[in-house]
Amino acid sequence: MDFELHDKVALVAGASAGLGFAAAKTLFEEGARLAICSSNQERIDKAAISLSKDTNKVLPIMCDLSKESQIKTLIDRTEAHFGKIDILVTNCGGPPLGTHENLTEKEWELAYNLTFMSTIRLIQSVLPGMKERKFGRIILITSMAAKQPVPNLMLSNSYRAGLLGFAKTLSLEIAENGITVNTVLPGYTATDRLDYFAKEINEQTGKSREEIYNSWQQTVPVKRLGKPEELGALITFLASQQAAYITGTAIAADGGRSAGII
């Protein structure tokens, strides 16, 4: 199937590794030109080169998504280089583990700017151009925690759930402009983020990495972890012409782990 992305420009945030890189790779393979960002210049340069050394096809940009000024620079550089942004994939590193009792106000503030406001600011920045061209695809990478809270993930559970409400409301406001807004909710997926969780749990409980990973897999009906490229494929479909009638959805990619029927 041709997803008709050959004349499209995609901006993928948090794309140096993991789910963001998987989304960028799949979009690129379907013909989209890319701007990709990360807070680490060396990592994002390496990711870009692994896709293409041609900056007319892949443009790496360093950006701290918790900083409003750096998001503005990211958008300005992308639009100056490619002339437009048709597809936006929002993504960022997840906030730290923690419960209500042990999280500080500073940690809440940092997570607010990185996890929540980075998405709002990115979307606000690309909307004028999308409205003018009467086309846009906005895809938020959040987490299964947005619908089914995960113990010890108070920050992620709170802010990612808030993004679901934002995305649904926005989808209603801009649908007539030819712009779709959808959210993807990955479950346990084989990424560096999961390794971080395993290390934290190991330090707290003494359980081995193998025991921790096995316990996660046993909670998933398909009895395995997700692959980043599986989420990348879903995101690429949502970015396609064929998905023009899909908006306002929150799609779980979690191996059936979420207990709810919607």
Side-chain angles (χ1 to χ4, degrees), residues 33-69:
R33 290 176 291 160
L34 295 175
I36 57 176
C37 78
S38 165
S39 59
N40 184 291
Q41 186 70 63
E42 183 179 352
R43 283 171 59 109
I44 201 64
D45 285 344
K46 184 178 179 180
I49 291 171
S50 73
L51 296 172
S52 174
K53 295 181 180 179
D54 185 351
T55 57
N56 288 316
K57 295 181 178 179
V58 181
L59 177 67
I61 302 172
M62 185 177 75
C63 176
D64 180 347
L65 292 169
S66 68
K67 309 293 185 184
E68 184 176 4
S69 61

Side-chain angles (χ1 to χ4, degrees), residues 139-143 182-186 231 234-235 238 249-252:
I139 300 132
L140 290 69
I141 299 178
T142 61
S143 166
N182 292 291
T183 306
V184 294
L185 290 71
L231 190 76
L234 172 60
I235 289 169
L238 291 173
T249 64
I251 304 174

Side-chain angles (χ1 to χ4, degrees), residues 19-169:
L19 300 178
F21 179 77
K25 185 174 187 292
T26 312
L27 286 164
F28 180 73
E29 289 171 346
E30 289 296 325
R33 290 176 291 160
L34 295 175
I36 57 176
C37 78
S38 165
S39 59
N40 184 291
Q41 186 70 63
E42 183 179 352
R43 283 171 59 109
I44 201 64
D45 285 344
K46 184 178 179 180
I49 291 171
S50 73
L51 296 172
S52 174
K53 295 181 180 179
D54 185 351
T55 57
N56 288 316
K57 295 181 178 179
V58 181
L59 177 67
I61 302 172
M62 185 177 75
C63 176
D64 180 347
L65 292 169
S66 68
K67 309 293 185 184
E68 184 176 4
S69 61
Q70 293 196 30
I71 288 177
K72 183 181 186 305
T73 299
L74 169 67
I75 300 299
D76 289 347
R77 286 188 60 187
T78 302
E79 291 181 335
H81 192 82
F82 290 117
K84 60 177 182 173
I85 298 171
D86 301 298
I87 300 160
L88 171 66
V89 180
T90 71
N91 179 49
C92 65
L97 301 174
T99 65
H100 174 67
E101 290 188 349
N102 63 27
L103 288 168
T104 66
E105 185 169 333
K106 184 65 174 178
E107 287 173 318
W108 276 101
E109 181 181 352
L110 290 171
Y112 172 72
N113 277 303
L114 180 61
T115 305
F116 189 79
M117 283 308 300
S118 68
T119 297
I120 309 299
R121 289 164 178 157
L122 284 166
I123 292 172
Q124 286 176 334
S125 298
V126 302
L127 273 180
M130 289 181 174
K131 287 181 177 179
E132 182 179 346
R133 291 185 296 275
K134 297 291 183 181
F135 179 89
R137 299 285 184 267
I138 298 171
I139 300 132
L140 290 69
I141 299 178
T142 61
S143 166
M144 64 179 182
K147 279 193 173 182
Q148 184 168 315
V150 177
N152 207 33
L153 281 182
M154 173 60 81
L155 293 173
S156 186
N157 295 340
S158 301
Y159 288 130
R160 296 192 192 280
L163 286 173
L164 287 190
F166 167 78
K168 181 63 176 182
T169 307

Side-chain angles (χ1 to χ4, degrees), residues 186-244:
Y188 291 126
T189 308
T191 64
D192 290 345
R193 174 74 168 166
L194 215 58
D195 284 338
Y196 160 75
F197 285 158
K199 182 179 178 181
E200 291 288 309
I201 294 170
N202 167 261
E203 292 176 354
Q204 293 170 9
T205 67
K207 291 182 179 179
S208 69
R209 183 180 185 277
E210 182 179 3
E211 288 176 311
I212 295 164
Y213 269 79
N214 184 62
S215 69
W216 286 332
Q217 291 180 111
Q218 293 309 307
T219 68
V220 181
V222 300
K223 302 303 179 187
R224 68 171 176 86
L225 301 181
K227 301 174 184 177
E229 57 267 28
E230 292 173 321
L231 190 76
L234 172 60
I235 289 169
T236 300
F237 170 69
L238 291 173
S240 73
Q241 300 287 359
Q242 287 84 347

